[in-house]
Amino acid sequence: MPIVNFGSINLDFVYRVERLVRPGETVQAMGQELFSGGKGFNQSVALARAGASVRHVGRVGEDGRWLVDALEAEGIQTDAVEYGNTPTGHAIIQVDSQGENNILVYGGANLEITTSAIEQACAALENSDWVLLQNETNATAQVMRIVGERGNPIVLNPSPMEASLLDLPLASVHTFIINRSEGEALSGEREPKRILDRLAQRYPRASIVLTLGDRGALFARENLRLEVPAERADAVDTTGAGDTFAGYFLAEISAGSEPLPALQLACRAAAHCVTQPGASPSIPHRAQLDSGHA
Ligand code: RIB
C-alpha cells in the first residue's frame, strides 16, 4: 500500500569525536562530513529500499534541492515537497568511537510547511494509503487531526518527543514506533515491558513497537506480546538505525506481513545501518538483506 510521509529533510553535519562533548567543554573533532538526513528523509529512503511506494510531503530551501533529487533517485514521489526562502533544516551530529551519537536539530524549512500543502496532501489520500509522521516538522498536529477523522492508518514516530504531543488525538494512531525515552515520556513508566503494557492499555486499538537499540525490539497489540533480539553488528555510526527500523517495519506491515517477521526484518536492516557512516547512505536495500550480504 502507498505510504505518504509528512517528514523532515535535513542536511546532516556529522563530526567524528573520540567521545561526546560534555557541558562546558571544547573538544577537537577528528573529522567532519555532510550527509543527507532528517528522520522523515531517512524513513522515506528506508521505505523505498524495502520496496514500498512512497510519497514525501515536506519543505526545503534552495540549498536542499539536492536532497529532493536524492529522494527522487530512490523512486520516491516528491511533487508535494515545497521550496521556500528559509534554509533547509539541519542537524549537528557528534559520533563517538563506539558509534554512539547525539543530535541537535534545527528545524529551518521543516517548520514552514504550508497549511495548503498539508491540506492538499491529505485530500489526495486514497482510503488504503498509510500515513507516516515523525515530529520534526510543523505538520504533525494538523495531519493527525485531518487524517484521524478520515480514518487512514497513522504510524507515529514521536521523535523528538515533546510534551505537546500528548495533547494530540493519539487514540487515532494505528502504530506507535518509539524508543525507550519516548516510551517513558508517553507512558510515565521506566521498565520496557511496563511501558508496553501501559501504552497497550491506554491505546487499545494501536500496535506499539518499542525499539531498544542493541537489545532488539518489543511489540504489543491487544494481548499479543513479541520480543525480537537485535542482530549482532560492529557499530560505526548508529545514526539513522531507528529510522531504518521504522521504514522497514512499516513497509512490511503495510504490505500485509505479520508483526513477527516484520520486526525481524526491521532489526536486520537496522543492524546493517549501524555498520556504515551516515544515516541515509547506510540504509540497506532489501536485496542486500535477502541475499545475506547485510
Ligand atoms: O534519526 C537520525 C536523524 O535525526 C538524522 O538524520 C538527523 O537529521 C535527525 O533528524
Side-chain angles (χ1 to χ4, degrees):
M1 295 300 173
I3 291 140
V4 181
N5 183 9
F6 294 80
S8 58
I9 301 174
N10 285 343
L11 300 157
D12 281 1
F13 295 94
V14 179
Y15 298 86
R16 182 124 328 245
V17 289
E18 188 57 43
R19 56 175 179 71
L20 305 179
V21 181
R22 298 190 187 115
E25 197 180 41
T26 302
V27 301
Q28 195 78 254
M30 299 181 296
Q32 190 261 322
E33 283 179 280
L34 173 64
F35 293 108
S36 48
K39 292 182 198 309
F41 181 103
N42 300 336
Q43 291 177 17
S44 278
V45 170
L47 282 161
R49 291 188 184 175
S53 158
V54 190
R55 183 175 197 220
H56 195 103
V57 184
R59 187 176 177 97
V60 294
E62 281 302 323
D63 56 343
R65 276 197 185 267
W66 68 277
L67 296 167
V68 182
D69 291 345
L71 287 174
E72 273 171 26
E74 299 285 343
I76 294 161
Q77 227 181 300
T78 62
D79 57 299
V81 176
E82 298 180 300
Y83 290 87
N85 292 329
T86 303
T88 302
H90 71 258
I92 307 285
I93 303 178
Q94 297 176 44
V95 179
D96 73 11
S97 51
Q98 268 75 54
E100 284 305 331
N101 64 37
N102 64 25
I103 303 179
L104 174 69
V105 176
Y106 179 73
N110 291 310
L111 302 182
E112 295 184 6
I113 304 175
T114 58
T115 299
S116 63
I118 294 169
E119 284 172 353
Q120 275 175 33
C122 290
L125 288 169
E126 303 282 340
N127 287 343
S128 56
D129 288 350
W130 289 62
V131 169
L132 173 60
L133 291 167
Q134 316 78 30
N135 192 33
E136 285 186 337
T137 75
N138 62 315
T140 312
Q142 198 185 342
V143 174
M144 290 256 326
R145 293 203 177 91
I146 300 174
V147 177
E149 280 176 21
R150 286 185 53 113
N152 294 73
I154 298 173
V155 177
L156 176 65
N157 172 220
S159 179
M161 184 66 204
E162 286 167 358
S164 59
L165 283 177
L166 296 168
D167 299 330
L168 297 181
L170 297 179
S172 57
V173 171
H174 178 284
T175 300
F176 291 90
I177 302 180
I178 53 179
N179 65 19
R180 189 168 175 173
S181 61
E182 291 150 9
E184 287 180 13
L186 277 177
S187 68
E189 299 285 352
R190 300 211 58 183
E191 201 275 318
K193 289 187 177 163
R194 290 179 71 97
I195 293 174
L196 271 193
D197 288 343
R198 178 58 60 98
L199 293 178
Q201 192 182 41
R202 191 179 298 159
Y203 307 111
R205 288 164 47 207
S207 297
I208 320 288
V209 181
L210 179 62
T211 59
L212 297 170
D214 60 7
R215 290 175 54 203
L218 304 179
F219 177 91
R221 189 179 60 211
E222 297 172 345
N223 293 326
L224 175 66
R225 297 289 181 276
L226 299 170
E227 188 165 356
V228 174
E231 297 221 354
R232 253 199 52 75
D234 292 324
V236 169
D237 181 355
T238 54
T239 315
D243 301 330
T244 303
F245 180 100
Y248 264 84
F249 181 78
L250 174 53
E252 288 298 288
I253 288 292
S254 62
S257 173
E258 288 299 316
L260 183 60
L263 291 166
Q264 288 166 332
L265 186 72
C267 282
R268 185 136 196 252
H272 181 284
C273 173
V274 305
T275 63
Q276 318 277 331
S280 59
S282 57
I283 298 170
H285 290 85
R286 176 182 284 268
Q288 285 172 277
L289 300 178
D290 290 343
S291 67
H293 296 303

